[in-house]
């Protein structure tokens, strides 16, 4: 057993995967990390301050002068590196937070159904009416207006057809009723995720409906003010998965206390887990620190969401400042995990390049940075899937990785 922590920097990629241009040719140039570093040097005349990520080995997997180690070593020094670091392919189609986290926890998410809401309007409307809701199309758009308040629509922030949303202003509909509508949609939806979203918008939501890519139509959530006006509530309803073959459930059944913080608390299943579904980065990582301090055994999965939100807003300055805040607390977390056998894995779930020119996730490799006291550093091979991260965490906890539905542990050196 050990204290094992996975910190997911949401939307933090380190360069385009070979198939990144399949949907958008311009995404072959995606590099969230590199473009952030370039932006701060060029626009703000300074380097991003990332000492904790640098010490964990970010420069070993993304060589850049600003990621040189504290002793001045070049970021991609030859020979045995002083860190345990590598990178991971995503292991699922597209670039999606829900699929990324489910894959990371051991689910086999190699195939998902991609579908526009417009191709399933009749089925969804019939299910909602059968549940007692009033349903009408939103003018001539392939969007449904439910009970005069909630919109059922394509998600415009993920790759087209991956997710559908149910969105409403909280002033018009309390979040439990938004969630009720979303659960009805989930029962008939063929897509990976149905997302219930409640927030405070500047104007009625139909004012912010627009066309997306590949025939999708939906709410322009960033333009609506949901992300900047406070009070945002979100719940992710995913496809049916065997959660007993995922890392949190495996750990809980072995008697390991499980804590899920940030967006991980919304999208991961684990009966009995402590949940802290915060958005604020400081709060997310404070809950993470609290879960390991004084504990003998623990599994903590934390999601830093504000990096992803800055990517959607195409705001590299905000992204960089959030990353610096996360880095400061990662330094505290690394210092707290000081016992042999403890393990910290810092990774991402996809990219979200804030300079790419669109508000979608980008299909990038993500870093896998491992801090494990008592083990010798080593360069890690590329992980073929994020599932390998979950399998590695299981190995660190002394749990059988083979009980996960997918994933192979990365070859860490033994604890001495």
């Amino acid at each position: 057993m050990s204290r094992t922590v996975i910190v997911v920097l949401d939307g933090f990629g380190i360069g385009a995967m070979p198939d990144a241009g399949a949907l958008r040719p311009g995404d072959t140039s995606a590099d969230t990390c590199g473009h952030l570093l370039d932006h701060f040097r060029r626009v703000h005349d300074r380097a991003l301050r990332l000492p904790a990520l640098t010490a964990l080995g970010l420069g070993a997997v993304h060589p850049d002068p600003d990621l040189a180690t504290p002793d001045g070593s070049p970021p991609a020094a030859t020979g045995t590196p002083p860190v345990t670091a590598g990178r991971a392919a995503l292991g699922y189609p597209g670039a999606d937070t829900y699929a990324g986290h489910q894959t990371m926890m051991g689910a086999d998410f190699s195939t998902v159904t991609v579908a526009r809401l417009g191709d399933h309007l009749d089925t969804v409307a019939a299910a909602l009416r059968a549940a007692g809701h009033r349903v009408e199309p939103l003018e001539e758009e392939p969007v449904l207006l439910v009970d005069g308040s909630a919109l059922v629509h394509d998600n415009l922030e993920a790759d087209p057809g991956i997710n559908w949303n149910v969105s409403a202003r909280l002033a018009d509909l309390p979040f439990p009723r938004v969630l009720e509508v979303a659960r009805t949609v989930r029962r008939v939806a063929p897509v990976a995720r149905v997302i219930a979203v409640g927030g405070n918008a500047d104007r009625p939501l139909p004012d912010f409906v627009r066309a997306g890519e590949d025939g999708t139509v939906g709410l322009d959530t960033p333009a609506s003010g949901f992300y900047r006006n406070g009070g945002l509530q979100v719940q992710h309803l995913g496809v049916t998965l065997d959660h007993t073959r995922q890392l949190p459930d495996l750990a809980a059944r072995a008697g390991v206390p499980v804590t899920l913080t940030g967006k991980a608390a919304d999208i991961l299943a684990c009966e009995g887990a402590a949940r802290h579904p915060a958005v604020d980065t400081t709060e997310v990582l404070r809950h993470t620190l609290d879960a390991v301090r004084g504990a003998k055994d623990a599994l903590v999965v934390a999601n830093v969401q504000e990096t992803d939100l800055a990517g959607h807003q195409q705001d590299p300055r905000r992204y960089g400042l959030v990353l610096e805040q996360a880095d400061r607390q990662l330094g505290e977390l690394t210092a707290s995990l000081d016992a042999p056998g403890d393990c910290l894995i810092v990774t991402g779930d996809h990219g979200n390049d804030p300079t790419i020119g669109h508000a979608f996730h980008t299909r990038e490799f993500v870093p896998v940075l491992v801090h494990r006291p008592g083990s010798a550093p080593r360069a890690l091979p590329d992980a073929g899937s994020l599932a390998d991260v979950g399998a590695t965490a299981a190995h660190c906890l002394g749990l059988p990785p083979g009980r996960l539905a997918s994933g192979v542990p990365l070859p860490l050196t033994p604890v001495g």
Side-chain angles (χ1 to χ4, degrees), residues 238-299:
V239 294
T240 301
L241 299 170
D242 184 358
H243 297 296
T244 66
R245 300 192 66 193
Q246 290 187 284
L247 178 63
D249 194 83
L250 181 66
R253 285 186 283 116
V256 178
V258 176
T259 301
L260 306 174
T261 71
K263 193 189 292 187
D266 293 325
I267 60 180
L268 296 178
C270 180
E271 186 175 352
R275 295 178 183 273
H276 304 285
V279 174
D280 179 77
T281 297
T282 300
E283 186 177 355
V284 169
L285 292 176
R286 178 175 57 79
H287 285 306
T288 303
L289 279 160
D290 289 346
V292 298
R293 284 175 173 157
K296 293 183 178 180
D297 304 316
L299 170 65

Side-chain angles (χ1 to χ4, degrees), residues 81-139:
V83 294
T84 296
R87 64 178 188 171
L90 301 185
Y92 63 89
D96 177 68
T97 294
Y98 180 82
H101 281 69
Q102 301 302 337
T103 299
M104 194 182 301
M105 295 300 104
D108 181 0
F109 230 76
S110 58
T111 60
V112 297
T113 300
V114 177
R116 294 171 298 189
L117 176 64
D119 295 331
H120 298 266
L121 282 178
D122 290 345
T123 300
V124 175
L128 287 165
R129 290 187 181 110
H133 296 285
R134 176 166 52 89
V135 183
E136 55 191 311
L138 184 68
E139 299 177 347

Side-chain angles (χ1 to χ4, degrees), residues 358-369:
H358 61 69
F360 293 105
H361 296 155
T362 43
R363 187 165 170 82
E364 298 180 51
F365 290 101
V366 295
V368 180
L369 313 178

Side-chain angles (χ1 to χ4, degrees), residues 193-255:
R193 214 175 5 153
V194 173
I195 309 173
V197 184
N200 297 304
D202 299 329
R203 301 192 303 277
L205 293 190
D207 290 355
F208 301 101
V209 171
R210 64 169 177 83
E213 292 192 12
D214 197 29
T216 58
V217 178
L219 179 69
D220 188 336
T221 305
S224 74
F226 272 14
Y227 293 148
R228 65 176 177 270
N229 289 339
L232 182 69
Q233 295 189 59
V234 180
Q235 188 156 335
H236 301 255
L237 307 177
V239 294
T240 301
L241 299 170
D242 184 358
H243 297 296
T244 66
R245 300 192 66 193
Q246 290 187 284
L247 178 63
D249 194 83
L250 181 66
R253 285 186 283 116

Side-chain angles (χ1 to χ4, degrees), residues 306-327:
E306 287 188 303
T307 44
D308 189 55
L309 296 180
H312 286 309
Q313 294 168 346
Q314 291 289 278
D315 188 343
R317 180 179 182 276
R318 182 189 176 200
Y319 196 127
L321 294 177
V322 171
L323 197 61
E324 288 183 332
Q325 173 58 44
D327 188 272

Side-chain angles (χ1 to χ4, degrees), residues 321-346:
L321 294 177
V322 171
L323 197 61
E324 288 183 332
Q325 173 58 44
D327 188 272
R328 288 190 287 272
Q329 291 178 274
L330 283 172
E332 295 180 59
L333 185 58
T334 302
S336 296
L337 294 167
D338 56 0
D342 285 349
C343 182
L344 169 65
I345 303 175
V346 179

